C-alpha cells in the first residue's frame, strides 16, 4: 500500500509539473468544489418555479429562466452534481470491470483469456450509444442510477483491452518470476507487484471512462431517455431544446450547460494528456 | 490468408451475436415489452392481428419455447421480414428503414472517411512539427473540439450558421417542398442540407484521430529506423511519410472500432438535432413512440453496419502491415 | 597520419530535459581524428558517451542532446555548421552508420530492397537502371553473406544476425568514406558476432573505407582495429595504435580493462577487476574522474583539473598524470585492481547429485512452427559443485534453467530433486521447491520491481519462507547486504532499483536469491548485461558465497572464460543437445567437439589479433 501511495504522490507531482495537466486538475477540481458547494452557491432552488417564465438573462437571473420559470443559473450549478456523480460512478464501475476482465484475461491466459478476449472484442465493436438507447427504452424506471448501470455495461471493453495487454507485458517481466521465487502468492503478485506498475494506465482508463460516461449521460438525457425531472446539464438541454429556447432567444440556457460539459470534458482530457506524458516520456514536448 | 479467414470468422460470429442479442434483449428485459405494446395497441382501438403477430415475432410471443421463437425470428430475418412498424403503420419496418438508410450511409460514410483522413493527416503533421505553433494550436483545438458534446456543437452550429446567419437550412435532409427523386435540384438540396450535420460530425470527430495519430507518430519517430532514415539523408518529407506515418497509421487503425463507435453515437444525436431523415433520427422517434419493432431493427442495422466497417478496417490493416501476411522468402 | 577524413575537436555534448530541468553533459570534450581507410575502435563502459559522440557526428542526437562546443569536420567542412540540405548530401554518401541495436533499424513495413532503393534515389544515383540497382543490391547482400533472394523479404522475416548484416550492407551501398558502427554486434550470438567482425574487417580492407567501431568490449576492438580510443566518463583517456596499446597500455584504466581478459585455456587463469562502480556522470568527483577506482591514484589526482592529455612522441596520447613516466617504464605488469585467480584443480564432481535431469525435451510453437529447444538432455548437478552450462544463443540454455526451476514443464523426461519429479509438482509443491532452488536473472534491472525498495525486496523471502516478522527479517537482510558487498547496508535499505548501478542491482538480485537459503542456485548469464570492469567482481562474489554457504551452482553462460573461472564441471549445449561435458579444465583446455572449439575461438581475445595490422599507420 505504501508503495502505491508513494507512487501516486510522485506521479501527482509529475502531473502537476505539466501545464496542461495542471490546468485540467484545476478545472476538474473547480467543478468538484462547485458541486459540493451547490446549495450555498446557487442563488435559488433549481426546481423552484417561482419566477417569470422564459426571462432573458438579468442581474436577478444571470442566465434567465426556463419555460417553467426556474432559474437557469441555479440549475447549472446543481447540474454539476449529476455529471460528476455519473462520471465518478460509471467511470469507477467501468474501470473496475475493465480491471477485473483485463487482469484475469492477461494473467490467466489459455482458454479463459480466449473467451474473455472474444467477449471484449465483441463488446468493442458493438456500438455503445445505440445499445444504451435500446436498453434504456426497455427499462421501465428512468433515472441516474439506471443510466450509470447502462453506461457501465456498455463501456468497459476498451479499458479491458488496454489493461490486458499491459498485464501481459508486465507479467512476463523477470521481476514477476522473481517474486514467485520469493514465495509470493498469486494474489500478492498481482496486487502488490503488478498493479502498482499499472497505476497510470488505470488512471487514464478511469479518466477516459468518466469522460465517456459524462457525455453519454448527457446525450441520453438530451434525447429525453433519462428522467427529465432530474436536474442535470443533459436535461437542461433537453428542456431548452423542447421549448425552442434558441428561437426564443434564450441562447444562454443552451449555451451554458453545453459549455459546462465541454469544459469538464476538456479538463479531464488535459489531465489525461498529462498522464499520457508520464507513462510515455517520449511524448514530452 | 489466415488473417483474412480469422477476421471473416470474427465478422460472422459478431453478426450472429448481434442478431441473437437483438432477439434476446426484448425477451430478457423486465416488464415484457411485447405485452406492453399489445396492450397499448388494444387501448387505442381495434387491433390489427397482423400487427400483433409482428410484435410477437420481434419482441416475444406469448406462446412457444424460446428455441421455437428464435427459429421463427431468424427465419423472418433471413426473409427480410422485420415486421410492421407501429408508428408508420401499415408500412413494414423494412420499408421505413429503406428510406432512412441511404441518408445515414452517405452522411456517416463520408464523414467517417473525412474525419479519418483529416485527423490522421493533421496528427501526423503535428507530430512531425512537434513543439511548433502548429502542433500546439492543433492539439489544443482538438482537446476542445473532441470533448464538445456532439449535440451541443450541433445546437450551436444550428443557432449560429442556421438561425442567425441563415447560411444553411435548419432542419431536414432536403427541401420540404420537394419529393425525394433523382434530379439535380433534389441532390443539390440534399447536399446543401447535409453540410451542417456533416460539419458538426467532422469538427467533433476529428480530434480523436488526431490525438491517436500524433501519439503513435511521436512514438514511431523515436524508433531506430527513423533515425537511420535521417542518417541516410532522405528528404524530411519522405521520412515523415514513408517511415513515420506509414508505420504510425497501423495502431491508429486498431483503434478504429473505438472511434467509429463514438461517431455512430454522435451521428444519432446530430441527426436528431437537425431532424435529418436518417437512421438516428428514426431511432429517436421509434423510442419516443415505443415502436419497439422498428427500434430493434434499427439497432440491428446500425450494429451490422458498424461490424462491416470494422471488418473493412481490419482488412485494410492486413493489407498495410506485412507482418500479418504469411509466406515470403523465409517460409 | 594521412589527411583525416573526420576530425573532431574538443566536442562537448549535453542532454537537457525541459520538463525535469536537468542537464547531463555526457561528452565532456572529446577530440579524435580518423584517417582515410583507417579502422578505429572506440571502447568504453556503458554511459561513457560513445553513442552520443557517434550520433553527434551526423547530427543525429535525440532526447534533447546538443553539441555545446567543439568542431566536427569532414574533409574540411564543418558538419555542425552545414545547412540541412548540405548535410543531407554528406549523410550516407560520405558517412554512413550502423546504429546500436540494429535489430530495429529497418523499416518494418518496407522490403529490404526498397530500403536500399530509397537511399539510392535520394542521392540521385538514378542514372542506374532498375536492373543495375537490383544487381548492386544483390551484390551487397552477397558481400555480407546473405542470399540475394532476401531482397524481397520484410524485416520480420529475417533473423537478428541477418538484420545486422543487412544494416552493414546498407551502410556500404553508396561507397562511403567512413562507416560509423555503434555496437553492431551486441545481442548476437558470440559465434555470429565473430563471423560478422571478421567479414567486416575483410570488406573494409578490400574497399578501403574508414571505420569507427564502437564497443564496450576491448577484446573485440583490439582484435580488429588499427587504432584504439578508450573512453571514460565522457572523455577519451587513451588513444594509441592497437599493438602499442595492447603491449604497453599507459592509462591505468586501459591497463585494468586489459586485465579483465585472460586466456581461458591457460594453466592458471588470472583476471583482475576494477573496484568500485562505473562513474555517475551527474556527479563526477573533482580531479581525475577515474581516481576513486584507480590503483595508482595520488593526492594530485583527487583535486583540481582533469589530467590533460599527454601527447606522446611515439604517437597517440594518454590522459593521466603518470603517462609520461609510464612511457619510460619497461615493465607495465602492475596490478591494477582486485585479482581473481583460478588454477587447475581437480574438484570432486562425483558426489551425489542434488538435481538429476533425465532425457528432457522441450519444443515451443512459434507462429505454428515448432522450434525444438531441448532434445533428450540428461545431466546431474553434484552437491556443492559449480556446473557451467555453456552454449550460443538459441542453444537451449535458458530453457533448461526454466525447466529446472519449475517455471516451465518439459514435454518429456524427468527432473528429480529430493525424490520428487519437479514437472509433476502442483502450485503448492512448486512453492515449497523454490525455497530450495533459487534463480539469479540476466538483467538485474528487469528482475527488480521498480516500485519496490531494496529492503522490501529482500525481506519478502524471509517472511515467506522463514516465517519471520518483518522486524526479525530486518537484521538478516542487513547481514545479507553486507555479505554481497553492499555496505553500509542501511544506505541501501530504502533505495529503489532506479537508484542503483548495474553491479549493485545484480548484487541485490543475488542477495534476494540467497535469502531463501537455497540448496541450488541457478544463475542465467548473471554478468552478461554488466560492464566489463565489474563482471569479475560478481563472479568472485558468487564463488565466495558458494564456498561459504555450500550451495550447488548452475552457472549459465556463453562465455568460456567465466565458465573456466567459476566452474568445476562444464556442459556444452548446441541446438538443444549436449555435445560435450566434463571437468571444466579438461573441456576448455582440450575441447573434443567442434562446436566447443568454435565457441572458444569466438571469445574476444585481445592477445590474439584477428589479422596482422595493415601496414602500420605512420605518424
Ligand atoms: N536520448 C538521451 N536522452 C537523455 N540522456 C541520454 C540520451 N542518450 C544518452 N544519454 C545519456 O548520456 C550518457 C552517455 O550515453 P551514451 O549512450 O552516449 O553512452 P554509451 O557509451 O554509448 O553507452 P552504451 O555502452 O550503454 O551504449 C548516459 O549517461 C546517458 O544516460
Ligand atoms: S590521473 Fe591519477 S587517478 Fe587518474 S588515472 Fe592517472 S593515476 Fe589514476
Ligand atoms: Mg551506446
Amino acid at each position: 500500500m505504501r508503495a502505491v501511495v508513494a507512487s501516486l504522490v510522485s506521479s501527482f507531482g509529475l502531473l502537476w509539473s505539466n501545464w496542461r495537466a495542471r490546468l485540467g486538475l484545476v478545472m476538474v477540481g473547480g467543478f468538484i468544489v462547485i458541486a459540493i458547494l451547490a446549495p450555498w452557491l446557487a442563488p435559488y432552488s433549481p426546481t423552484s418555479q417561482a419566477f417569470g417564465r422564459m426571462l432573458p438573462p438579468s442581474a436577478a437571473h444571470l442566465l434567465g429562466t426556463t419555460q417553467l420559470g426556474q432559474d437557469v443559473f441555479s440549475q447549472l450549478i446543481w447540474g454539476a452534481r449529476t455529471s460528476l456523480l455519473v462520471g465518478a460512478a460509471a467511470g469507477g464501475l467501468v474501470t473496475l470491470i475493465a480491471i477485473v476482465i483485463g487482469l484475469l484475461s492477461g494473467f490467466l491466459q489459455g482458454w479463459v483469456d480466449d473467451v474473455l478476449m472474444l467477449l471484449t472484442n465483441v463488446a468493442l465493436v458493438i456500438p455503445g450509444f445505440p445499445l444504451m438507447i435500446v436498453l434504456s427504452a426497455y427499462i421501465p424506471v428512468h433515472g441516474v442510477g439506471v443510466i450509470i448501470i447502462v453506461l457501465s455495461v456498455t463501456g468497459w471493453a476498451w479499458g479491458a483491452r488496454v489493461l490486458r495487454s499491459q498485464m501481459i507485458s508486465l507479467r512476463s517481466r523477470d521481476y514477476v518470476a522473481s517474486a514467485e521465487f520469493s514465495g509470493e502468492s498469486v494474489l500478492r503478485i498481482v496486487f502488490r507487484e503488478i498493479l502498482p506498475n499499472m497505476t497510470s494506465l488505470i488512471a487514464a482508463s478511469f479518466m477516459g471512462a468518466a469522460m465517456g460516461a459524462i457525455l453519454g449521460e448527457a446525450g441520453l438525457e438530451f434525447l429525453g431517455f433519462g428522467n427529465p425531472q432530474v436536474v442535470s446539464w443533459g436535461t437542461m438541454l433537453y428542456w431548452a431544446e423542447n421549448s425552442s429556447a434558441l428561437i426564443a432567444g434564450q441562447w444562454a440556457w443552451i449555451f451554458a450547460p453545453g459549455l459546462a460539459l465541454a469544459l469538464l470534458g476538456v479538463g479531464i482530457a488535459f489531465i489525461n494528456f498529462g498522464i499520457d506524458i508520464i507513462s510515455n516520456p517520449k511524448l514530452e514536448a | 490468408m489466415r488473417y483474412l479467414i480469422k477476421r471473416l470468422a470474427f465478422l460472422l460470429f459478431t453478426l450472429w451475436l448481434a442478431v441473437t442479442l437483438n432477439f434476446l434483449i426484448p425477451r430478457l428485459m423486465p416488464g415484457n415489452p411485447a405485452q406492453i405494446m399489445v396492450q397499448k395497441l388494444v387501448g387505442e382501438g381495434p387491433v390489427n392481428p397482423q400487427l400483433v403477430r409482428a410484435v410477437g415475432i420481434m419482441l416475444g410471443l406469448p406462446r412457444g419455447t424460446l428455441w421455437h421463437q428464435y427459429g421463427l425470428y431468424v427465419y423472418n430475418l433471413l426473409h427480410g421480414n422485420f415486421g410492421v412498424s407501429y408508428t408508420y403503420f401499415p408500412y413494414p419496418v423494412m420499408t421505413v428503414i429503406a428510406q432512412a438508410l441511404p441518408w445515414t450511409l452517405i452522411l456517416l460514410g463520408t464523414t467517417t472517411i473525412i474525419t479519418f483522413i483529416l485527423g490522421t493527416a493533421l496528427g501526423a503533421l503535428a507530430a512531425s512539427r512537434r513543439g511548433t505553433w502548429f502542433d500546439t494550436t492543433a492539439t489544443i483545438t482538438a482537446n476542445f473540439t473532441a470533448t464538445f458534446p456532439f449535440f451541443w456543437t450541433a445546437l450551436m452550429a444550428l443557432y449560429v450558421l442556421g438561425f442567425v446567419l441563415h447560411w444553411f437550412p435548419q432542419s431536414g435532409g432536403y427541401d420540404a417542398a420537394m419529393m425525394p427523386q433523382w434530379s439535380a435540384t433534389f441532390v443539390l438540396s440534399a447536399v446543401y442540407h447535409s453540410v451542417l450535420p456533416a460539419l458538426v460530425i467532422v469538427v467533433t470527430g476529428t480530434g480523436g484521430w488526431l490525438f491517436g495519430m500524433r501519439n503513435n507518430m511521436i512514438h514511431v519517430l523515436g524508433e531506430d529506423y527513423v533515425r537511420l532514415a535521417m542518417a541516410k539523408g532522405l528528404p524530411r518529407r519522405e521520412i515523415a511519410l514513408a517511415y513515420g506515418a506509414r508505420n504510425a497509421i497501423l495502431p491508429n487503425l486498431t483503434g478504429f472500432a473505438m472511434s467509429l463507435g463514438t461517431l455512430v453515437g454522435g451521428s444519432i444525436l446530430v441527426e436528431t438535432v437537425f431532424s435529418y431523415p436518417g437512421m438516428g433520427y428514426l431511432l429517436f422517434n421509434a423510442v419516443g413512440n415505443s415502436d419497439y419493432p422498428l427500434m430493434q431493427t434499427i439497432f440491428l442495422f446500425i450494429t451490422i453496419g458498424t461490424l462491416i466497417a470494422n471488418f473493412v478496417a481490419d482488412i485494410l490493416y492486413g493489407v498495410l502491415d506485412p507482418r500479418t501476411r504469411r509466406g515470403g522468402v523465409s517460409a | 597520419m594521412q589527411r583525416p577524413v573526420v576530425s573532431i575537436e574538443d566536442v562537448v555534448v549535453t542532454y537537457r530535459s525541459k520538463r525535469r530541468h536537468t542537464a547531463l553533459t555526457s561528452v565532456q570534450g572529446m577530440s579524435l581524428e580518423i584517417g582515410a581507410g583507417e579502422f578505429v575502435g572506440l571502447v568504453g563502459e556503458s554511459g561513457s558517451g560513445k553513442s552520443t559522440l557517434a550520433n553527434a557526428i551526423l547530427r543525429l542526437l535525440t532526447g534533447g542532446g546538443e553539441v555545446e562546443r567543439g568542431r566536427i569536420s569532414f574533409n574540411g567542412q564543418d558538419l555542425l555548421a552545414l545547412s540541412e540540405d548540405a548535410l543531407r548530401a554528406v549523410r550516407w554518401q560520405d558517412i554512413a552508420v550502423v546504429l546500436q541495436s540494429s535489430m530495429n533499424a529497418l523499416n518494418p513495413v518496407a522490403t529490404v530492397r526498397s530500403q536500399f532503393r530509397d537511399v539510392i534515389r535520394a542521392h540521385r544515383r538514378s542514372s542506374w537502371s532498375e536492373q543495375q540497382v537490383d544487381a548492386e543490391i544483390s551484390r551487397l547482400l552477397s558481400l555480407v553473406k546473405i542470399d540475394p533472394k532476401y531482397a524481397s523479404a520484410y524485416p520480420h522475416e529475417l533473423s537478428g544476425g541477418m538484420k545486422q548484416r543487412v544494416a552493414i550492407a546498407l551502410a556500404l551501398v553508396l561507397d562511403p568514406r567512413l562507416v560509423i558502427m555503434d555496437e553492431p554486434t551486441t545481442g548476437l550470438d558470440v559465434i555470429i558476432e565473430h563471423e560478422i567482425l571478421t567479414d567486416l574487417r575483410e570488406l573494409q580492407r578490400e574497399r578501403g573505407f574508414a571505420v569507427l567501431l564502437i564497443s564496450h568490449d576491448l577484446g573485440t576492438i583490439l582484435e580488429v582495429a588499427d587504432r584504439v580510443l578508450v573512453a571514460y566518463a565522457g572523455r577519451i583517456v587513451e588513444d594509441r595504435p592497437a599493438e602499442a596499446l595492447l603491449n604497453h597500455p599507459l592509462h591505468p584504466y586501459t591497463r585494468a580493462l586489459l586485465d579483465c581478459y585472460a586466456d581461458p585455456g591457460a594453466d592458471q587463469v588470472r583476471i583482475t577487476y576494477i573496484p568500485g562502480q562505473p562513474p555517475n556522470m551527474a556527479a563526477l568527483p573533482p580531479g581525475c574522474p577515474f581516481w576513486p577506482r584507480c590503483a595508482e591514484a595520488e593526492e594530485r589526482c583527487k583535486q583540481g583539473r582533469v589530467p590533460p592529455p599527454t601527447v606522446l612522441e611515439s604517437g597517440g596520447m594518454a590522459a593521466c598524470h603518470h603517462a609520461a613516466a609510464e612511457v619510460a617504464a619497461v615493465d607495465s605488469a602492475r596490478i591494477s585492481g582486485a585479482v581473481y585467480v583460478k588454477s587447475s584443480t581437480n574438484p570432486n564432481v562425483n558426489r551425489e547429485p542434488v538435481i538429476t535431469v533425465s532425457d528432457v525435451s522441450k519444443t515451443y510453437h512459434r507462429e505454428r512452427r515448432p522450434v525444438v529447444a531441448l532434445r533428450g538432455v540428461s545431466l546431474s548437478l553434484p552437491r556443492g559443485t559449480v556446473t557451467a552450462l555453456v552454449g550460443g544463443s538459441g542453444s537451449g540454455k535458458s530453457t533448461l534453467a526454466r525447466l529446472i526451476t519449475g517455471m516451465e514443464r518439459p514435454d518429456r523426461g524427468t527432473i528429480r530433486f529430493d525424490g520428487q519429479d519437479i514437472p509433476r509438482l502442483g502450485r503448492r509443491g512448486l512453492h515449497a521447491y523454490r525455497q530450495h532452488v533459487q534463480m539469479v536473472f540476466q538483467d538485474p534491472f528487469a528482475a527488480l520491481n521498480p516500485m519496490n525498495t531494496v529492503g522490501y525486496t529482500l525481506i519478502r523471502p524471509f517472511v515467506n519462507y522463514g516465517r519471520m516478522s518483518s522486524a526479525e527479517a530486518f537484521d538478516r537482510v542487513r547481514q545479507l547486504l553486507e555479505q554481497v558487498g553492499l555496505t553500509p547496508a542501511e544506505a541501501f535499505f530504502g533505495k529503489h532499483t532506479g537508484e542503483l548501478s548495474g553491479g549493485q542491482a545484480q548484487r541485490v538480485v543475488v542477495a534476494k536469491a540467497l535469502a531463501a537459503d537455497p540448496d541450488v542456485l541457478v544463475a542465467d548469464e548473471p554478468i552478461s548485461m554488466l560492464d566489463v570492469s565489474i563482471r569479475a567482481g560478481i563472479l568472485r562474489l558468487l564463488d565466495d558465497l558458494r564456498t561459504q554457504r555450500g550451495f550447488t551452482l548452475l552457472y549459465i553462460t556463453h562465455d568460456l572464460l567465466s565458465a573456466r573461472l567459476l566452474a568445476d564441471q562444464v556442459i556444452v549445449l548446441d541446438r538443444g543437445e549436449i555435445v560435450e561435458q566434463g571437468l571444466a579444465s579438461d573441456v576448455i583446455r582440450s575441447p573434443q567437439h567442434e562446436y566447443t572449439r568454435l565457441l572458444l575461438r569466438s571469445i574476444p581475445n585481445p592477445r590474439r589479433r584477428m589479422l596482422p595490422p595493415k601496414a602500420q599507420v605512420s605518424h
Side-chain angles (χ1 to χ4, degrees), chain C residues 46-47 49-52 100 182-183 214:
Chain C
S46 183
K50 310 181 294 290
S51 301
T52 304
Q100 182 162 11
D182 192 356
E183 313 241 9
I214 295 174

Side-chain angles (χ1 to χ4, degrees), chain B residues 13 29 85-87 113 135 184 192 201-203 223 227 251 274 276 283 294 306 309 314:
Chain B
F13 176 74
M29 280 293 152
S85 162
Y86 162 71
T87 329
I113 293 172
D135 180 27
Y192 184 44
I201 298 179
V202 168
V203 164
E223 293 282 352
R227 224 148 47 85
F274 288 101
Y276 196 77
L283 178 65
L294 183 59
T306 313
D314 278 346

Side-chain angles (χ1 to χ4, degrees), chain C residues 374-411:
Chain C
L374 289 175
R375 206 178 315 213
V377 167
S378 303
L379 58 90
S380 62
L381 305 180
R383 187 175 294 283
T385 61
V386 182
T387 302
L389 189 60
V390 184
S393 81
S395 61
K397 309 184 297 284
S398 295
T399 306
L400 196 54
R402 284 198 296 274
L403 296 183
I404 289 178
T405 50
M407 291 162 79
E408 276 178 45
R409 289 171 216 276
D411 302 333

Side-chain angles (χ1 to χ4, degrees), chain B residues 4-208:
Chain B
L4 186 73
I5 291 170
K6 260 174 128 168
R7 294 331 301 168
L8 203 63
F10 182 72
L11 174 68
L12 292 177
F13 176 74
T14 43
L15 282 178
W16 167 76
L17 212 71
V19 166
T20 308
L21 193 68
N22 212 42
F23 168 78
L24 285 178
I25 287 177
R27 286 165 178 79
L28 295 183
M29 280 293 152
N32 197 344
Q35 201 85 44
I36 295 175
M37 265 213 81
V38 171
Q39 268 165 13
K40 212 167 162 179
L41 293 172
V42 172
E44 288 178 0
V47 182
N48 185 311
Q50 201 194 349
L51 190 54
V52 175
R53 214 181 106 72
V55 169
I57 291 173
M58 290 310 290
L59 306 177
L61 294 166
R63 296 177 310 280
T65 63
L66 210 58
W67 285 115
H68 174 75
Q69 295 189 31
Y70 187 55
L72 204 60
Y73 165 84
V74 172
Y75 176 87
N76 273 300
L77 285 198
L78 290 179
H79 288 78
N81 181 4
F82 297 89
V84 181
S85 162
Y86 162 71
T87 329
Y88 301 90
F89 186 77
Y91 287 111
V93 164
M94 212 38 218
T95 315
V96 179
I97 286 186
Q99 281 174 9
L101 194 58
W103 294 98
T104 295
L105 273 185
I106 293 175
L107 177 68
L108 200 54
T110 39
T111 49
T112 303
I113 293 172
I114 293 175
T115 48
F116 177 72
I117 294 177
L118 197 65
T120 307
L122 289 177
L125 206 61
S128 53
R129 310 238 165 114
R130 195 135 77 104
T132 61
W133 70 267
F134 175 80
D135 180 27
T136 316
T137 318
T139 48
I140 290 183
T141 313
N143 246 332
F144 275 93
T145 57
T147 47
F148 284 168
F150 271 95
F151 55 93
W152 185 66
T153 318
L155 284 171
M156 286 299 121
L158 184 66
Y159 181 65
V160 177
L161 300 179
F163 185 70
V164 176
L165 297 174
H166 292 289
W167 286 0
F168 296 100
Q170 293 164 32
S171 74
Y174 49 89
D175 197 326
M178 289 190 209
M179 286 297 288
Q181 64 194 26
W182 279 116
S183 72
T185 42
F186 178 77
V187 170
L188 265 178
S189 158
V191 169
Y192 184 44
H193 277 75
S194 64
V195 170
L196 217 42
L199 191 71
V200 171
I201 298 179
V202 168
V203 164
T204 322
T206 304

Side-chain angles (χ1 to χ4, degrees), chain A residues 41-276:
Chain A
L41 290 178
Y44 313 103
S45 154
T47 47
S48 158
Q49 306 182 357
F51 315 104
R53 300 183 173 182
M54 300 290 255
L55 294 179
S58 66
H61 301 284
L62 286 178
L63 300 173
T65 61
T66 70
Q67 89 290 357
L68 293 177
Q70 298 148 323
D71 180 48
V72 174
F73 183 64
S74 302
Q75 290 197 334
L76 186 72
I77 287 177
W78 282 89
R81 289 196 160 188
T82 318
S83 280
L84 285 173
L85 175 74
V86 169
L93 266 175
V94 162
T95 312
L96 201 67
I97 300 175
I99 290 179
V100 169
I101 294 198
L103 294 201
L104 268 182
S105 177
F107 195 80
L108 292 177
Q109 301 185 323
W111 68 267
V112 180
D113 179 34
D114 291 344
V115 171
L116 288 178
M117 244 359 250
L118 186 63
L119 190 71
T120 309
N121 282 334
V122 167
L124 197 63
V125 290
I126 297 223
F129 193 64
L131 183 59
M132 278 182 224
I133 293 179
V134 169
L135 288 180
S136 63
Y138 282 121
I139 297 174
V141 283
H142 285 203
V144 174
V146 174
I147 289 187
I148 289 176
I149 291 174
V150 169
L151 286 168
S152 311
V153 171
T154 51
W156 54 271
W158 182 255
R161 188 150 115 173
V162 173
L163 290 176
R164 169 183 176 267
S165 43
Q166 172 89 344
M167 181 73 184
I168 287 177
S169 120
L170 288 180
R171 73 152 291 162
S172 62
R173 300 279 161 95
D174 281 349
Y175 65 74
V176 172
S178 175
E180 281 174 17
F181 278 94
S182 294
E184 304 286 26
S185 66
V186 172
L187 283 181
R188 204 177 163 100
I189 288 179
V190 171
F191 289 103
R192 184 62 182 72
E193 303 284 336
I194 298 181
L195 214 54
N197 285 297
M198 296 173 82
T199 37
S200 67
L201 200 61
I202 291 175
S205 315
F206 172 76
M207 294 291 165
M211 190 152 99
I214 289 170
L215 290 177
E217 179 252 1
L220 281 180
E221 300 260 25
F222 169 71
L223 292 178
F225 300 153
N227 178 358
Q229 303 315 320
V230 170
V231 175
S232 75
W233 295 336
T235 50
M236 285 173 75
L237 286 159
Y238 167 76
W239 287 118
E241 160 86 344
N242 273 12
S243 7
S244 306
L246 279 184
I247 296 164
Q250 292 282 75
W251 59 269
W253 187 8
I254 286 199
F255 188 73
L259 188 69
L261 274 170
L263 287 181
L264 181 56
V266 170
I268 295 176
F270 274 175
I271 296 179
N272 240 355
F273 209 86
I275 295 178
D276 239 14

Side-chain angles (χ1 to χ4, degrees), chain B residues 261-305:
Chain B
T262 316
L263 279 193
V264 168
S267 78
I268 293 177
L269 291 160
V270 172
E271 284 190 8
T272 307
V273 169
F274 288 101
S275 308
Y276 196 77
M279 300 285 276
Y281 188 45
L282 200 59
L283 178 65
F284 169 72
N285 282 328
V287 175
N289 297 323
S290 301
D291 189 348
Y292 293 129
L294 183 59
M295 178 184 87
Q296 284 298 127
T297 315
I298 295 174
F299 176 60
L300 185 64
F301 270 82
I302 292 181
T303 311
I304 291 176

Side-chain angles (χ1 to χ4, degrees), chain B residues 228-242:
Chain B
L228 192 79
M230 283 163 61
K232 275 169 150 185
L234 302 185
R236 236 168 214 289
R237 259 179 78 83
E238 186 172 347
I239 297 175
L241 291 178

